[in-house]
Amino acid sequence: MPTATLQQQLERRQAIARLLDEHEIYLQSELVELLRAEGYPATQSSVSRDLRNLGAAKLRNRYSLPERVAGHNEQPLEVIGQFVRDIRPAGPNLLVISTAVGAAQRVALTLDRVGWPEIVGTLSGDDTIFVATASAARQRRLSSMLRQCLSEAAQ
């Protein structure tokens, strides 16, 4: 299959976002079929790349996109709170966040988009996130802020 143009990729990614919102999609092959039915050229590998680019995660056995964050709105933290299992320091500039299996990427992306100055960057695996901070003081402040937001979400 010929390489898609940038415009085709953007249109396909918009279609993927819409389809994930409209349908419960459990397999990439289902998404490929839906895209092809709408006239979008798609393969499993292109869909896999698109899902990764969109920040999609497979949660509760289906694909979903992270919540969009507007400004300093803390509401998305309430959404991800259900996936966070533990927050602990690792040295003076690193927080380790444990999540439900498969949720780390979604939680990390939400943290990146919140735009808090305490967060220098995140690195996520499947169920663990490393959050880098610029100082020990910022690490403590971030840990406190996260615990407060997540405890409010649990109420």
Side-chain angles (χ1 to χ4, degrees):
M1 181 175 280
T3 304
T5 67
L6 182 58
Q7 183 63 33
Q8 289 171 325
Q9 288 175 354
L10 293 173
E11 289 172 4
R12 186 177 61 234
R13 288 176 183 163
Q14 289 173 342
I16 288 171
R18 179 180 46 77
L19 290 168
L20 290 177
D21 189 46
E22 294 172 356
H23 303 277
E24 289 192 2
I25 298 175
Y26 299 93
L27 301 170
Q28 290 181 7
S29 60
E30 293 174 301
L31 196 50
V32 169
E33 288 177 25
L34 288 169
L35 287 166
R36 287 181 180 170
E38 292 190 7
Y40 294 98
T43 63
Q44 187 278 326
S45 61
S46 66
V47 165
S48 178
R49 281 190 302 273
D50 290 339
L51 288 169
R52 187 171 45 251
N53 178 272
L54 290 167
K58 197 167 189 179
L59 300 171
R60 296 187 186 107
N61 294 323
R62 71 179 190 94
Y63 287 97
S64 64
L65 293 175
E67 299 294 322
R68 300 293 177 210
V69 177
H72 293 281
N73 178 3
E74 294 179 6
Q75 191 273 333
L77 291 176
E78 294 172 2
V79 174
I80 63 164
Q82 63 186 314
F83 304 116
V84 175
R85 302 295 180 251
D86 189 31
I87 302 170
R88 60 191 182 282
N93 299 79
L94 191 64
L95 279 180
V96 177
I97 301 175
S98 299
T99 70
V101 174
Q105 183 181 21
R106 182 178 193 166
V107 173
L109 186 60
T110 301
L111 291 173
D112 287 338
R113 290 182 176 170
V114 167
W116 287 346
E118 291 81 7
I119 300 174
V120 175
T122 63
L123 178 66
S124 67
D126 193 43
D127 62 358
T128 305
I129 306 164
F130 291 163
V131 183
T133 61
S135 67
R138 287 191 174 199
Q139 179 206 54
R140 287 188 300 274
R141 186 169 41 240
L142 177 61
S143 180
S144 176
M145 290 167 52
L146 286 171
R147 288 179 195 283
Q148 182 178 355
C149 288
L150 297 174
S151 69
E152 289 171 5
Q155 295 175 0

